[in-house]
Amino acid sequence: DGGITQSPKYLFRKEGQNVTLSCEQNLNHDAMYWYRQDPGQGLRLIYYSQIVNDFQKGDIAEGYSVSREKKESFPLTVTSAQKNPTAFYLCASSRGQGAGNQPQHFGDGTRLSIL
Amino acid sequence: AQSVAQPEDQVNVAEGNPLTVKCTYSVSGNPYLFWYVQYPNRGLQFLLKYITGDNLVKGSYGFEAEFNKSQTSFHLKKPSALVSDSALYFCAVRPRSSNTGKLIFGQGTTLQVKP
């Protein structure tokens, strides 16, 4: 079945440590997205990528970094500069340019906590 | 600025009663409109979308949504609520003029269905 796989499901970060969240899709989508969700709140866009080797900052990119070396993969690194990283992180994908009426598809998230 | 509003943080209904979750938007043109559902510790699941045509759109799990152009609204409805419908619901829009797959999300509405 086609879909989006996020790993790990739970992740713990020590102070001063960088951690990387994995997101893989087999939907052949050009565009991929990372969102942050805080308890009881909506989604905030961190980064998005329309095509391989290209990505753009979203609304809350500070303290995060991404890469897009393969169409299927869009890993997110939470750096030590992100002082409040505890949140639920969601990865999504969609058709890119010309997405039109096609929805975004979501993975099941990674919950990041501070040790 | 383009935005989506879900005016109710929480909606409470009794099982078997009809439910409505409200969404209004401020987006230029005639955007594509989407509803998603999120269960605890899971990603967002696509429920339905409005493209054009009939103002009443039917989707998954018995949900439907009513588009009203003059009121720029896209309310989610279900004739008879189930306890298992209890979840967090998100409305999202994409301008037709957009050349990306980005969505503009509302803040979400928690639906609580009581037996």
Side-chain angles (χ1 to χ4, degrees), chain B:
Chain B
Q2 300 181 110
S3 63
V4 176
Q6 293 181 238
E8 301 152 318
D9 289 337
Q10 182 157 326
V11 170
N12 298 307
V13 299
E15 188 173 31
N17 283 2
L19 69 88
T20 298
V21 182
K22 296 180 180 178
C23 172
T24 60
Y25 59 91
S26 176
V27 175
S28 58
N30 297 316
Y32 299 113
L33 305 165
F34 304 86
W35 274 102
Y36 287 85
V37 60
Q38 184 183 30
Y39 296 99
N41 295 311
R42 299 294 301 275
L44 276 65
Q45 296 178 32
F46 168 69
L47 278 178
L48 52 78
K49 64 184 178 184
Y50 175 78
I51 304 170
T52 188
D54 193 347
N55 289 343
L56 188 64
V57 178
K58 295 191 183 298
S60 306
Y61 312 120
F63 283 93
E64 54 193 27
E66 186 170 17
F67 169 65
N68 187 314
K69 184 176 180 179
S70 62
Q71 297 185 3
T72 61
S73 67
F74 189 52
H75 300 331
L76 183 69
K77 298 174 182 286
K78 188 173 183 182
S80 178
L82 300 172
V83 172
S84 56
D85 293 330
S86 298
L88 182 58
Y89 290 81
F90 288 98
C91 180
V93 304
R94 178 186 291 132
R96 285 181 191 253
S97 60
S98 173
N99 64 356
T100 77
K102 287 173 62 179
L103 292 172
I104 305 166
F105 283 93
Q107 282 299 101
T109 298
T110 298
L111 173 66
Q112 188 76 30
V113 182
K114 298 191 176 178

Side-chain angles (χ1 to χ4, degrees), chain A residues 34-94:
Chain A
W34 274 106
Y35 294 93
R36 171 177 171 143
Q37 186 177 27
D38 291 283
Q41 296 193 26
L43 305 178
R44 292 187 287 172
L45 183 65
I46 305 172
Y47 269 98
Y48 67 101
S49 168
Q50 295 255 84
I51 199 167
V52 174
N53 292 323
D54 187 38
F55 48 83
Q56 288 79 38
K57 293 181 179 180
D59 302 317
I60 56 164
E62 187 173 351
Y64 300 96
S65 66
V66 294
S67 62
R68 186 86 188 277
E69 297 176 1
K70 298 187 301 181
K71 186 175 185 177
E72 301 79 16
S73 179
F74 191 40
L76 174 73
T77 297
V78 184
T79 74
S80 57
Q82 173 48 248
K83 298 305 180 187
N84 183 23
T86 297
F88 191 50
Y89 290 86
L90 287 164
C91 179
S93 72
S94 76

